[in-house]
Structure formats: structure tokens, C-alpha cells
Amino acid sequence: MVKKAIIPAAGYGTRNLPITKVLPKEMMPICGRPAIDYIIDEAIKSGIEEVLIVVSRSKNMILDYYDHCPELENHLEACGKHHLLKKLELPKVHIQYVRQPYARGLGDAILLGKQFVGNEPFAVMLPDEIILTEPKPALRQLIDLYNLQKGNILGLKKVDRKFLHKYGVVEPESRKDGFIKISDVIEKPDSSPPSDLAVIGRYVLEPAIFQLLEQIPTGKGGEIQLTDAIRRMLSDAPCYGVNILGTRFDIATLPDYVKLINQICGPSAAADE
């Protein structure tokens, strides 16, 4: 059973500058809630019981958000504003934190969760990709496949080929019953991508991935790439892909950010944000 999830949230958020100079991209408001709250909600609805958020020293706002605020709670209680107290209730999931001292890539961030994960399969959820689905959450779609086909499970979406250089891209070996067996995966291919299926921000991984992350050299951008470790595991363990049913929004891009707000709150809400 997949009960643990890692949320990497230590990046600089350069695609969202200048606001991310002072506001973590994970805390960007979406209809009165920070973006990361939608990821936590998806995790809970997918059956996750423990979450590790990987932060940097500039992301203390995330820790503060998922903590009690006695002064505010006491004020609302004294004023009889009990309906607002409900808005301050913390999510029903155990949240831990670890700091990533240097931004050395997604693989390095995941490696910091080795002790947290132990010898269990675990999920990885990228907080800048929010996926609206009904009725089954995106991560739950991956977990359901893992329960049927043990191995690494990658969330996939078809992406216009001119944008594939921004993603990890898989090479399908075979397709069956709504999932894909993967024969190769390439991080940000410079040319001739093997398909139009990009890896998006949801994974279910076997704990053996940590041994590979400790061994692989730096990859694209001088970073430790999670995709490179997954690729090395292909010779020893199967890897499958799920074409996630739902609408994906990359909130690091302004058009997607505005579309997401419109989708959740209505067209007038985008201006208010």
C-alpha cells in the first residue's frame, strides 16, 4: 500500500519571478488557498497518511501555514466567528519537513526522503502541477495501477512536440488496459523525442530508487535528475505509465494559473487574485 508522499518544494521558483522573490510559488493564492493546499488535499483523497515536504531556508511560510496560530484562533473564538475557525483547521495528514540546503535537482530532493520512506513504495507530487479530476484524484489513478502492477509508475500526458524539450519523455513498449509499459525515458530530449507522452508531476516509486539516486552522476542542468535514476532501474524493474484522466494546470505559467482560477472560482476571481 502507498501511504507516504514526498512533495519537493525547495526550488527557487524562477518561472514565477518577481513574486517568488518574497512568496514561495507553493503559496501562490488560488481562490483563497495556497497552491500546495490543493496538492495536500489530493494526497489525502488518494489515501496518503504521511507527507514529507522538502523545503529550503526561504520557505518557512509553508511551515507556518500548516501550524496552529493561537493568537488568531483565540481572537476568532472571542469574537464568536466560529465559521472562520473552520477555515483554520489543519489537514488530517501527518506532515514532516526536511531542508534541501542547495537546489541540486529533483533527484536530490527525493533522496532527502530516504529515511522517511524506509522500505515502502511512495508517491512524489510536484506542487506546481495541479490536476483537476473527477471522481478519482490523479495520484489515486497511479496508486490503483501500482496495486495491480508492481514497479515504478509515472503520470503521463500528451504534450505538443514543440514543448517536449521541457519534460521527461517516455518510449512506450506496449499498451494494455489503460496503461503503458515503458521501455525508456529521456529527460528533456534535445531532438527526436521517442513519443509525445511527457512525464508530469505524479509518480509512485519503489524504494530501490534511492540506491540509484545515490550513484548517478549529475545530469541535465548539472542536477541530479530523478528521470535518470528511473531509466537505470528499467533493466531490473518494470516501469509503467498512466495517461492521467483530468485537466492539468502548470501554475508556473501565467496562462495556466489564470485558467485554474477561472476553473475553480469563476472568471471574475482571476482579477481578485
Side-chain angles (χ1 to χ4, degrees):
M1 298 292 288
V2 181
K3 296 297 183 182
K4 295 181 179 180
I6 298 175
I7 300 177
Y12 293 121
T14 52
R15 291 194 294 164
N16 293 102
L17 285 170
I19 189 63
T20 44
K21 181 180 178 182
V22 294
L23 179 72
K25 67 178 180 180
E26 297 81 12
M27 297 301 293
M28 290 180 63
I30 300 170
C31 308
R33 296 169 60 194
I36 196 171
D37 220 22
Y38 292 86
I39 304 298
I40 294 289
D41 187 54
E42 179 188 328
I44 294 170
K45 291 178 179 177
S46 299
I48 297 297
E49 297 176 356
E50 298 182 62
V51 172
L52 178 71
I53 304 179
V54 182
V55 296
S56 64
R57 60 192 302 271
S58 63
K59 300 291 185 82
N60 289 334
M61 189 180 293
I62 298 174
L63 282 70
D64 291 341
Y65 182 79
Y66 290 113
D67 195 3
H68 287 286
C69 183
E71 300 87 350
L72 177 56
E73 292 169 10
N74 291 339
H75 171 73
L76 295 175
E77 182 74 36
C79 295
K81 297 182 179 180
H82 299 99
H83 64 292
L84 294 180
L85 275 171
K86 292 182 179 180
K87 292 179 177 288
L88 300 182
E89 291 179 356
L90 299 179
K92 290 178 172 53
V93 65
H94 180 68
I95 300 177
Q96 301 179 45
Y97 304 91
V98 64
R99 273 189 175 176
Q100 185 182 21
Y102 305 100
R104 298 179 60 227
L106 178 58
D108 182 65
I110 302 307
L111 187 54
L112 293 172
K114 181 178 179 180
Q115 298 302 317
F116 166 77
V117 167
N119 196 35
E120 302 177 35
F122 66 102
V124 174
M125 308 176 74
L126 304 191
D128 49 3
E129 298 196 34
I130 295 176
I131 306 170
L132 301 184
T133 62
E134 287 292 344
K136 187 182 292 187
L139 180 59
R140 186 71 236 179
Q141 296 175 38
L142 272 68
I143 292 174
D144 285 350
L145 177 57
Y146 178 82
N147 292 336
L148 295 173
Q149 302 282 343
K150 297 298 187 286
N152 292 325
I153 312 293
L154 313 183
L156 306 176
K157 276 286 190 185
K158 285 190 175 183
V159 171
D160 191 308
R161 285 186 174 269
K162 65 182 178 183
F163 298 121
L164 288 173
H165 65 281
K166 300 179 179 180
Y167 298 89
V169 181
V170 304
E171 181 175 340
E173 178 180 312
S174 60
R175 302 170 188 259
K176 179 183 177 182
D177 299 331
F179 66 89
I180 296 166
K181 187 173 184 182
I182 294 169
S183 62
D184 198 5
V185 56
I186 301 171
E187 178 66 20
K188 299 181 175 65
D190 295 324
S191 60
S192 301
S195 74
D196 60 353
L197 291 171
V199 182
I200 59 173
R202 301 293 184 274
Y203 307 76
V204 171
L205 302 173
E206 296 280 11
I209 196 75
F210 292 113
Q211 183 178 355
L212 276 298
L213 288 171
E214 291 172 330
Q215 296 173 354
I216 60 173
T218 55
K220 288 271 186 177
E223 298 179 337
I224 298 175
Q225 298 289 350
L226 177 61
T227 302
D228 293 343
I230 293 171
R231 190 181 194 192
R232 288 201 177 193
M233 281 189 71
L234 286 169
S235 58
D236 299 317
C239 183
Y240 303 96
V242 177
N243 200 336
I244 292 178
L245 300 177
T247 307
R248 166 184 169 266
F249 300 88
D250 180 356
I251 64 165
T253 66
L254 184 58
D256 271 18
Y257 179 62
V258 173
K259 287 177 185 176
L260 177 60
I261 294 170
N262 288 342
Q263 182 82 12
I264 296 176
C265 311
S268 63
D272 296 336
E273 293 286 340

